[in-house]
Amino acid sequence: MSASNIEPDFETQRVRLLRPSWAELDYGAIAANLALAREMVGQATKIYFVCKGDGFGFGAAKVARLAAQAGVDGFCVGSPEEGMAIRNAGVDREILLFAATLPEDAAQVAALGLTVTIQSHESLRAFIDAGVSVDAFLEIDPGFGRFGFLPSQWQAAFEALRHQSTVRLKGVYTHLSSPESDDVTRTQADVFDAALADARAAGFDSLTTMLASSRVMLAHPHLAYRAVDPGRFLYGALDADWMARAPLRPMLRAVRGRIIHVQEHPAGSVLGIGYAEPIRLERAVRIGVVPIGFWDGLNHVPPLGRVLVHGQAARILGRRSFQHTVVDITENVRARTGSVVTLLGRDGDHAITIDELAASLRLPVMELIPRLARSLPHVDAGATDAGGHLRPVGPSKA
Ligand SMILES: *Cc1c(COP(=O)(O)O)cnc(C)c1O
C-alpha cells in the first residue's frame, strides 16, 4: 500500500504542509516488524495488533490497513471508536475491545460487531443481561491490579458462561506488569495457567489464549500461547534497551520543520526570547523560527534539547511556544528561511535519536511517540531527500 492512498487527500495535505512541520513515517515498518514477530512466535500463534491510542497516534485505521495487508490475524483497540474506525476502513478481521465501557452500555457495545472484554462479574452480568449475541474474551488479573478476574472469581465466571448462549467465550487473556523481571513474570504466568486449567475443566478447550505484549515477546518468547498482543513491537517504538533485543524498524523516522522567519538582533538589544525575563544581548544573535510548538506534541518548559540545521547542532532559545520554536542560528551561517530543522532523525552526518529527544524532554519514548504522531502531518519518509527536504508529492494515482 503506498502512502498516497492512506493519507489525507492531496489537497488537504498540501494545505497542511504550507505550515512546514511534519513527521516522517516508514510505511514498511509494520510489515517488517510483523514478519519478525511471526518468526519469533511461529505460524501457529495468532498476532493481535494493539491499535489503542488511535494506533499509537499514527491513526488506527491507517495502521490497521497496513497490518491487515501484511497478514495480521486480529486487532486490539482501546475504545469503541477505534474499533469502528478500523471496520469502516474495510478491515474485517477480529477486533478485541479492551475494557473501556460502562456496564449500563453493554447492549450498545455488544451490537458493534467487536469482540468484547469481560473483566469482572459486573461486566459479565451486564453482557449476559444485554441479551445481544456477542463474542467475548475473559480477562484474568495475574497480579497487575487493574482489570480482570482474580483466582477466587474466575471459576464462577466460567460456570456462568457455560450456562448461557448469547455471550460466546472465545478467548482468555491477561496483561503482565513487569516483563523486565523473570520472577514476577513466572509468578504471573502461573496465575494465567491456573485460570486456563479451570477454563478447560469447565469445558472450554479451544479458547484463544493470549498473554504476551511487546516486552514479554522480546524477553520471554516461550510465553506465546495461542496468540500474542503486541503494540509497540509492531510500531518499532520501544526504548533503546528493548529495541536492542531485535532488529525492529521504527515507524516514526523523523520530525522536522523549516525555518519560516530569520531575524538578526544586534548586540545591546533587550529581548525576552521565549517568554524569558528580558536581557540585554552582549553579542548579536541570529534567530530562526520553526513553526512547531508544544501543540505539535513537544513541550513548553526547558530542557528542550537541540536541533540540527544543515547537519549542525543548534540550541533552542527560551521556552517553546504553542506553535513555534525559536532556534539560535548565530553560528550556522548556512541557515536561512527555508532551511530544514531536524528535531528527530538524521541530518547529514548527525542524528537525534528518539531516545535522545525523549531524555532531553524528560518524557518516556512511549509517551513521546504518540504525542508527535497524532499531532503532526504525516509524510512518507521515502519522500524526503538526504537533507530532509520534502520532495513534491503528487496526487494519488488510485
Ligand atoms: C497496551 C496493551 C498491550 C500492548 O502493549 P505493548 O507494550 O505496546 O506491546 C497489550 N495488552 C494490553 C492489555 C494492553 O493494555
Side-chain angles (χ1 to χ4, degrees):
M1 189 178 291
S2 77
S4 56
N5 54 18
I6 51 174
E7 290 303 348
D9 67 81
F10 177 71
E11 192 53 22
T12 306
Q13 184 79 331
R14 186 186 68 81
V15 172
R16 265 197 105 181
L17 288 170
L18 289 175
R19 174 181 181 248
S21 56
W22 65 90
E24 291 170 22
L25 307 191
D26 173 356
Y27 289 98
I30 289 176
N33 296 333
L34 185 64
L36 191 65
R38 276 269 179 250
E39 219 171 277
M40 286 174 59
V41 301
Q43 294 298 328
T45 298
K46 291 186 191 170
I47 299 175
Y48 283 69
F49 179 22
V50 176
C51 297
K52 65 189 180 192
D54 195 24
F56 226 64
F58 293 112
K62 178 187 338 194
V63 298
R65 283 169 66 183
L66 290 167
Q69 200 167 55
V72 84
D73 299 285
F75 299 93
C76 300
V77 293
S79 73
E81 188 183 0
E82 290 156 4
M84 290 301 99
I86 294 173
R87 278 280 177 268
N88 293 337
V91 175
D92 60 2
R93 264 155 253 205
E94 183 172 22
I95 301 173
L96 170 64
L97 173 62
F98 286 153
T101 58
L102 283 166
E104 68 198 48
D105 293 326
Q108 289 186 65
V109 174
L112 294 174
L114 309 174
T115 298
V116 301
T117 289
I118 292 172
Q119 84 279 6
S120 64
H121 280 301
E122 193 181 19
S123 64
L124 172 60
R125 182 48 47 204
F127 281 116
I128 290 175
D129 290 349
V132 180
S133 263
V134 67
D135 288 348
F137 275 32
L138 191 108
E139 184 168 3
I140 298 299
D141 183 352
F144 192 109
R146 185 177 59 183
F147 292 124
F149 287 84
L150 303 175
S152 60
Q153 298 175 324
W154 64 56
Q155 210 135 12
F158 292 130
E159 279 305 309
L161 282 160
R162 199 157 64 131
H163 292 109
Q164 55 77 58
S165 56
T166 51
V167 181
R168 296 178 297 256
L169 186 65
K170 293 296 172 88
V172 180
Y173 77 98
T174 194
H175 189 54
L176 306 190
S177 68
S178 316
E180 68 284 358
S181 160
D182 290 348
D183 286 348
V184 175
T185 296
R186 193 173 309 113
T187 303
Q188 295 188 348
D190 286 347
V191 174
F192 188 56
D193 287 338
L196 300 185
D198 285 344
R200 273 192 300 276
F204 294 104
D205 45 19
S206 57
L207 296 174
T208 299
T209 54
M210 183 167 81
L211 165 143
S213 59
S214 301
R215 292 180 302 154
V216 177
M217 283 175 63
L218 290 164
H220 313 279
H222 61 288
L223 295 177
Y225 292 87
R226 287 191 181 157
V228 293
D229 57 343
R232 290 179 283 167
F233 186 112
L234 298 184
Y235 303 107
L238 292 137
D239 298 278
D241 50 337
W242 290 94
M243 291 292 278
R245 292 171 183 246
L248 295 172
R249 242 163 89 173
M251 181 154 185
L252 178 64
R253 293 292 302 277
V255 169
R256 305 187 212 269
R258 294 177 72 186
I259 293 175
I260 57 165
H261 172 85
V262 171
Q263 181 64 273
E264 177 138 358
H265 293 292
S269 307
V270 178
L271 301 174
I273 297 179
Y275 304 98
E277 196 171 323
I279 52 159
R280 185 175 302 279
L281 299 183
E282 284 173 14
R283 57 178 182 93
V285 170
R286 202 161 73 102
I287 60 139
V289 181
V290 195
I292 185 168
F294 61 82
W295 169 247
D296 300 288
L298 295 154
N299 58 352
H300 176 55
V301 177
L304 303 180
R306 58 180 188 139
V307 297
L308 301 172
V309 189
H310 297 290
Q312 197 179 321
R315 61 190 186 113
I316 296 167
L317 295 171
R319 298 184 199 173
R320 200 184 329 257
S321 314
F322 222 98
Q323 297 199 291
H324 297 114
T325 298
V326 179
V327 178
D328 183 351
I329 52 169
T330 312
E331 310 294 333
N332 199 320
V333 293
R334 292 168 65 201
R336 58 181 50 96
T337 299
S339 290
V340 171
V341 174
T342 297
L343 294 92
L344 166 71
R346 176 155 293 284
D347 177 10
D349 293 338
H350 297 273
I352 295 174
T353 64
I354 191 69
D355 293 281
E356 176 185 334
L357 185 61
S360 52
L361 305 187
R362 296 184 184 152
L363 282 171
V365 167
M366 179 175 64
E367 280 182 49
L368 178 59
I369 290 179
R371 286 167 60 137
L372 296 167
R374 75 170 180 239
S375 313
L376 290 159
H378 297 167
V379 309
D380 187 343
T384 53
D385 67 21
H389 287 273
L390 278 177
R391 286 201 295 268
V393 198
S396 166
K397 286 183 210 81

